[in-house]
Structure formats: C-alpha cells, structure tokens
C-alpha cells in the first residue's frame, strides 16, 4: 500500500502568514489522485482539494494544491483565524486508500 | 445541503458485534459509492470499507476483512456497516463518507462526510 508521510507534524504560524504543508508518497500516486482535508476539533474532515490541485466547492482561493508523482504540497496563502486546524492528505489512486498522519497548524 | 448522519455506535465487549447506520439526505444517494473511514482516539484517519452505488461491489481494508460487512439500502438512502468479532483496536470514531463517483477507485474521492459515531470495544 502507498504510505503517505506529512511534514511538518506541527506548523506554528501567525494569522496572515503563508503555510506550506508537504505530503510525500512511498510510490507514485497515479493520475494525481491526491486529496487534502481540513479537520477541526470535534468536526468531520472537510474536502479542500482533489486531483492534487482542484479546489472543492466553496473552498476559498487562499487554499491551493500542487505536485505530482510522489511529492505534493498544500499552500494556504494567508492564514485566517479559522484555518488553524489539522490537515490530512489522502491518495485514492491505489487500493487501499491511505491517509497521511496529519499536519497540525497552530497559532504562534 | 448534503447531510450524512451516523448512528449505532456504543460500548461493546471484545468479540461482540455492532451495526452502524448512515442516513443520507440532500443527495441522490443511489448512484454514488459510499465509504466508511475511522479515526482512533488521537490518531489519523483509516479507510475501512467502500461499496459501489449499486451495492454490487464491496471493498475492505485488510484489518477488517472477514469481520466487517458493508451494505446499503438505496430505497432508504442508508449505508450500513456490520461489525463482528470486534477487537480493542477497532475502537474509533467511525465516519461515513460519500464518494464523488459511482465506484470505489477510478479516481473517486470522498467529498462529503458525516459527523461520526463512536465505537468503543472494551471489557
């Protein structure tokens, strides 16, 4: 199965700063089938990005995804207070679907 | 508005059984594949099982294969997960999620999630 490794584990930033989250796969993710989810405490994950770079419905354009093969990035251009959360990457090009362990974005 | 509401979680002894349900509203349920994903306390997300829109094809993680059974009733817009021979390591919050496509695989991703139902396996 494809193992996804997210880095860093925790990212400490201030509102207005740029956040760059990494997701590295143990083997190539076919057809860029990579998604990003945001999860806040006590809430279900929310789809942000699919197909490595396509924003889901209603997601602000400060969120962007990029990458291919084994290296993917989620960028939040300017952090808003509501963006402090845990972010998960997930590949759906190979079975079983697998997730990274998450990156927690905290207020500095 | 898409709503997925899970139910059926609770405390069960090791070796016991539970049946989870997920009621869907705000969507045309039948064409879409559906999945179950779990999250153990303080841990990451783990995909558990998926079922095609027709219900004819099912998929399981190795960790639950032979113990869990996924099914759906399209007339009731409801997804199920029958969990047998439960173990302590099955303790988790179980989410149901709608797929973007009709089949697991083929580039279908999970686009809407419920709030989850908690399963605790303990004596």
């Amino acid at each position: 199965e494809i193992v996804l490794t997210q880095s860093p584990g925790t990212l400490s930033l201030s509102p207005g700063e740029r956040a760059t989250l990494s997701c590295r796969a143990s083997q190539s993710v076919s057809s860029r089938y990579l998604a990003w989810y945001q999860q806040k405490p006590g809430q279900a994950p929310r789809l942000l990005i699919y197909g490595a770079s396509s924003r889901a419905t209603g997601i602000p354009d400060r969120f962007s995804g990029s990458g291919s093969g084994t290296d993917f990035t989620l960028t939040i251009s300017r952090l808003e207070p509501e963006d402090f959360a845990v972010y998960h990457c997930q590949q759906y090009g190979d079975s079983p679907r697998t997730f990274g362990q998450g990156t927690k974005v905290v207020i500095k | 508005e898409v709503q997925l509401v899970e139910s059926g979680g609770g405390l069960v002894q090791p070796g016991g059984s539970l049946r989870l349900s997920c009621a869907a509203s705000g969507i045309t349920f039948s064409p879409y594949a559906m999945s179950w994903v779990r999250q153990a306390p303080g841990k990451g997300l783990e995909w558990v099982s998926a079922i095609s829109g027709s219900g004819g094809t099912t998929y399981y993680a190795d960790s639950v294969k032979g113990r869990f059974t996924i099914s759906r009733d399209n007339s009731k817009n409801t997804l199920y997960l029958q969990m047998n021979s439960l173990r302590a390591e099955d303790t988790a919050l179980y989410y149901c999620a709608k797929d973007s496509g009709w089949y697991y695989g083929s580039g279908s991703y999970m686009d809407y999630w419920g709030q989850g139902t908690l399963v605790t396996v303990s004596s």
Side-chain angles (χ1 to χ4, degrees):
Chain A
E1 70 177 45
I2 296 178
V3 176
L4 298 179
T5 302
Q6 292 185 242
S7 61
T10 303
L11 193 54
S12 182
L13 294 167
S14 300
E17 289 193 294
R18 181 184 188 91
T20 302
L21 287 66
S22 173
C23 177
R24 180 160 291 175
S26 60
Q27 59 194 85
S28 185
V29 176
S30 60
S31 302
R32 302 177 78 227
Y33 288 154
L34 193 286
W36 290 92
Y37 298 90
Q38 178 193 66
Q39 188 176 28
K40 297 179 181 179
Q43 296 187 18
R46 177 175 72 143
L47 176 68
L48 298 176
I49 301 286
Y50 64 93
S53 59
S54 297
R55 270 188 301 276
T57 302
I59 301 303
D61 60 6
R62 65 179 181 274
F63 291 92
S64 62
S66 62
S68 63
T70 60
D71 288 295
F72 298 87
T73 300
L74 175 70
T75 302
I76 310 170
S77 59
R78 293 175 312 279
L79 282 164
E80 298 287 340
E82 61 267 28
D83 299 337
F84 291 91
V86 177
Y87 292 84
H88 307 272
C89 62
Q90 182 239 330
Q91 66 81 24
Y92 52 96
D94 188 62
S95 186
R97 293 169 173 171
T98 50
F99 292 87
Q101 80 280 18
T103 290
K104 188 173 185 179
V105 180
V106 300
I107 298 176
K108 189 173 183 180
Chain B
E1 181 192 2
V2 177
Q3 280 205 317
L4 300 170
V5 180
E6 302 92 336
S7 60
L11 174 63
V12 62
Q13 292 188 336
S17 298
L18 274 179
R19 189 196 199 200
L20 306 184
S21 299
C22 170
S25 61
I27 57 169
T28 305
F29 182 70
S30 57
Y32 297 104
M34 296 289 294
S35 296
W36 288 99
V37 177
R38 68 185 180 184
Q39 188 170 33
K43 302 294 185 182
L45 297 165
E46 179 190 15
W47 172 81
V48 172
S49 183
I51 187 167
S52 62
S54 68
T57 310
T58 57
Y59 310 84
Y60 299 94
D62 286 346
S63 58
V64 306
K65 199 172 293 182
R67 300 187 298 123
F68 290 12
T69 302
I70 191 171
S71 62
R72 63 192 294 161
D73 185 337
N74 286 344
S75 68
K76 295 182 178 179
N77 286 1
T78 302
L79 175 73
Y80 303 101
L81 186 67
Q82 177 67 44
M83 304 186 296
N84 298 332
S85 304
L86 283 161
R87 306 167 180 166
E89 55 265 35
D90 295 319
T91 294
L93 188 61
Y94 283 73
Y95 295 102
C96 73
K98 170 192 166 292
D99 267 45
S100 62
W102 295 5
Y103 299 96
Y104 172 79
S106 300
S108 180
Y109 52 90
M110 296 175 287
D111 53 4
Y112 292 97
W113 298 56
Q115 292 297 311
T117 186
L118 182 63
V119 173
T120 304
V121 184
S122 175
S123 54

